[in-house]
Amino acid sequence: QVHVVESGGGLVQPGGSLRLSCAASGSIFSFMGWYRQAPGKQRERVAILSSGGNVYYADSVKGRFTIVRGNDKDTIVLQMNSLKPEDTAVYYCQTGTIGGYVYWGQGTPVTVSS
């Protein structure tokens, strides 16, 4: 059984930083990444890290967010710097297995406000 667990998030002032972590277990994963969904908007892809080391960033976060492997197996970290109010959203971790299945975490809220 696949489990995807997120941690981090919370309230931060504009210009601040937050760190999100995601740990997956129960399968062999070909990629892990982050999506976000703001109120009233569609879920959008933020950053993806493949098992081969390829990285994708949405244009809106390039230069501010960094996705890296965590210290533990099948974990990733999203370091978010220079946060803006428009980064406010629920952030979801997504993982994809080599068998082609996709799994989601429960989501963690990020609020950027003064």
Side-chain angles (χ1 to χ4, degrees):
Q1 187 173 5
V2 174
H3 294 278
V4 181
V5 180
E6 302 130 333
S7 60
L11 173 64
V12 65
Q13 291 186 343
S17 298
L18 278 176
R19 183 182 175 97
L20 304 181
S21 297
C22 176
S25 62
S27 186
I28 299 173
F29 303 102
S30 59
F31 70 89
M32 295 180 68
W34 293 92
Y35 282 66
R36 67 185 180 187
Q37 187 166 19
K41 295 188 177 181
Q42 289 188 329
R43 190 172 297 190
E44 64 173 350
R45 187 168 47 179
V46 175
I48 302 292
L49 177 63
S50 76
S51 59
N54 295 317
V55 178
Y56 163 88
Y57 292 106
D59 288 342
S60 58
V61 306
K62 281 181 181 176
R64 301 187 299 121
F65 290 13
T66 304
I67 186 170
V68 296
R69 300 188 195 283
N71 291 329
D72 296 326
K73 184 178 182 293
D74 294 328
T75 63
I76 57 170
V77 172
L78 184 68
Q79 179 65 44
M80 305 186 293
N81 298 328
S82 302
L83 283 162
K84 305 175 181 179
E86 50 263 43
D87 294 317
T88 295
V90 178
Y91 284 70
Y92 296 90
C93 181
Q94 184 197 58
T95 68
T97 70
I98 59 172
Y101 294 96
V102 174
Y103 297 88
W104 295 90
Q106 77 284 0
T108 184
V110 171
T111 303
V112 185
S113 175
S114 55

